[in-house]
Amino acid sequence: MSSLKRTPTLPPGTKPLDNQVAGHQNTDGKIGCLLHEDGTVLKPVQYPPKGQREVEFYQEVFADQMSDDKVLLQLRDLVPKFHGMVHSPKESDARFMKLENLLLDMKHPCVLDIKMGRKTYDPLASQEKIAMEIAKFPPAKNIGYQISGMQTYSPSTGKAQKFDKYFCKNLNEESIVFQGFGKFFSLDGVLQKEVIKAVIVGLKEILEWFNKQRTFHFYASSILIVFDGDASSPLSFRTSTSSSGLKGSVAENCCNGDTDSIIENDFSNVISSDFVDTMTYSQSEAVNPKVQVRMIDFAHVYHMPEEDENYIFGLKHLIDDLHRLLKS
């Protein structure tokens, strides 16, 4: 009897998403995130209750008849735009969330998936699950975040590199900043400080929202950071104000979790692309249109009427650590 698993039939007009750095991949008979011919991304719905919880989260945030809750409305600018559900005609149990694709206009996207929180297990987790999550990356207890996967780009070679969960798990509280973020935010060894500053602006927008909201608690949720590694892409800033009142520009991708990508050679010595004499960036500073920052992965989101201290703790540490990288 053959041990080969049947390859699922993809929905019409789709293909595997090449730039996925974390989450369930298009391997071993499973369907991961897909790129639709209309430019959107299809994210497969996980098995209940996780998958249905994420679907209901998107449906609540993007409901046609949404409440007058301005804080909840602002969340629409911080997550991928939701365009409804898609069903696969030949896979009866396959459903997909149709999401915005921020990689659409990028020639050479650099992609970073950061899982947020000291606790990445939800309130319903078993003791076994809690122990397993803690063991994945013990430094998360102190810094409140961890890298799930990333993709970089080298203009000199014209090649992209992916770094998987094994590379990420070997980082510690210091190396995650200088060997993790230092690698991601560098193009051929040159640290892209304007990109980092744009990312900090986006992260501060998310922090501003969390300081106001008392509706959700996010567990095992991620922040996705993307910038274009194209050497010809201008790094000029622009000012934008969203319709919901948040300043700046932020964006998305779709998937998170464990990865099975390629570990390339490490390089920790990076060259500063400029000298930064101040570490203060106001919300009025414009965000590079080629830099995107979005919250993703909502299979473990719960309604709770108090501050999400777990997420805020990690977000503050992440911002502080990017400031440290800027000073290097």
Side-chain angles (χ1 to χ4, degrees):
M1 184 176 179
S2 173
S3 61
L4 295 177
K5 295 186 177 181
R6 182 182 70 86
T7 301
T9 302
L10 302 184
T14 66
K15 64 180 181 179
L17 183 67
D18 293 334
N19 301 110
Q20 184 177 343
V21 298
H24 301 287
Q25 311 284 311
N26 289 281
T27 58
D28 198 25
K30 297 179 180 178
I31 299 179
C33 286
L34 304 174
L35 181 63
H36 194 274
E37 61 186 3
D38 66 5
T40 60
V41 167
L42 302 187
K43 180 179 181 180
V45 177
Q46 300 180 59
Y47 290 111
K50 295 188 297 183
Q52 188 58 33
R53 190 181 294 123
E54 184 166 31
V55 169
E56 291 174 356
F57 171 82
Y58 274 112
Q59 290 175 336
E60 179 177 356
V61 174
F62 289 94
D64 292 335
Q65 302 297 325
M66 199 172 181
S67 69
D68 295 328
D69 186 338
K70 292 183 179 180
V71 176
L72 194 57
L73 283 170
Q74 288 173 352
L75 184 57
R76 292 184 175 187
D77 294 318
L78 304 178
V79 304
K81 299 296 182 292
F82 177 64
H83 299 289
M85 302 298 297
V86 173
H87 297 262
S88 177
K90 294 186 178 181
E91 301 288 340
S92 58
D93 59 344
R95 294 190 301 151
F96 301 85
M97 294 168 284
K98 193 173 188 179
L99 303 173
E100 175 189 7
N101 176 19
L102 91 163
L103 306 182
L104 196 60
D105 297 322
M106 294 194 180
K107 290 185 178 180
H108 303 292
C110 299
V111 185
L112 175 66
D113 187 308
I114 305 173
K115 186 178 290 187
M116 300 302 298
R118 286 179 289 190
K119 297 178 181 179
T120 56
Y121 50 88
D122 66 32
L124 302 181
S126 64
Q127 289 301 312
E128 181 181 5
K129 175 66 173 178
I130 292 173
M132 182 178 68
E133 287 296 316
I134 292 174
K136 284 182 178 179
F137 191 70
K141 180 180 179 181
N142 297 323
I143 62 176
Y145 67 85
Q146 55 191 286
I147 298 177
S148 296
M150 64 183 186
Q151 174 177 288
T152 63
Y153 176 74
S154 169
S156 64
T157 65
K159 294 182 179 180
Q161 302 172 328
K162 283 188 178 181
F163 299 87
D164 67 4
K165 62 183 179 181
Y166 301 105
F167 167 83
C168 299
K169 288 179 179 179
N170 284 326
L171 298 171
N172 57 42
E173 292 180 36
E174 286 299 310
S175 64
I176 197 171
V177 178
F178 300 103
Q179 281 75 53
F181 297 144
K183 182 187 297 295
F184 174 72
F185 287 109
S186 295
L187 296 177
D188 290 334
V190 179
L191 190 64
Q192 305 298 299
K193 289 197 171 185
E194 296 304 311
V195 173
I196 299 173
K197 287 189 282 186
V199 168
I200 289 174
V201 173
L203 293 175
K204 285 183 175 180
E205 291 178 7
I206 296 175
L207 179 59
E208 177 187 346
W209 181 80
F210 268 95
N211 285 334
K212 294 185 292 186
Q213 76 95 13
R214 297 294 185 273
T215 304
F216 300 111
H217 276 206
F218 297 78
Y219 299 94
S221 184
S222 290
I223 290 177
L224 193 88
I225 297 171
V226 182
F227 73 93
D228 197 343
D230 179 24
S232 65
S233 176
L235 287 179
S236 59
F237 288 95
R238 63 182 171 88
T239 301
S240 64
T241 303
S242 70
S243 59
S244 61
L246 285 177
K247 300 174 183 177
S249 173
V250 289
E252 53 65 46
N253 198 317
C254 69
C255 302
N256 177 39
D258 293 334
T259 69
D260 294 298
S261 50
I262 302 170
I263 300 178
E264 299 289 344
N265 292 331
D266 185 22
F267 57 93
S268 57
N269 295 322
V270 293
I271 305 169
S272 170
S273 61
D274 64 359
F275 178 77
V276 177
D277 57 4
T278 176
M279 293 297 109
T280 302
Y281 310 102
S282 69
Q283 293 289 341
S284 62
E285 284 193 85
V287 176
N288 185 331
K290 291 291 187 178
V291 177
Q292 308 286 9
V293 182
R294 287 286 176 94
M295 299 165 57
I296 60 171
D297 299 323
F298 308 113
H300 301 276
V301 176
Y302 293 81
H303 285 88
M304 293 186 180
E306 65 263 351
E307 181 180 83
D308 189 350
E309 187 275 336
N310 181 56
Y311 198 110
I312 291 175
F313 176 87
L315 193 51
K316 288 181 177 179
H317 274 263
L318 176 57
I319 293 171
D320 288 345
D321 283 345
L322 290 183
H323 281 307
R324 291 173 57 204
L325 183 61
L326 277 174
K327 294 179 182 179
S328 63

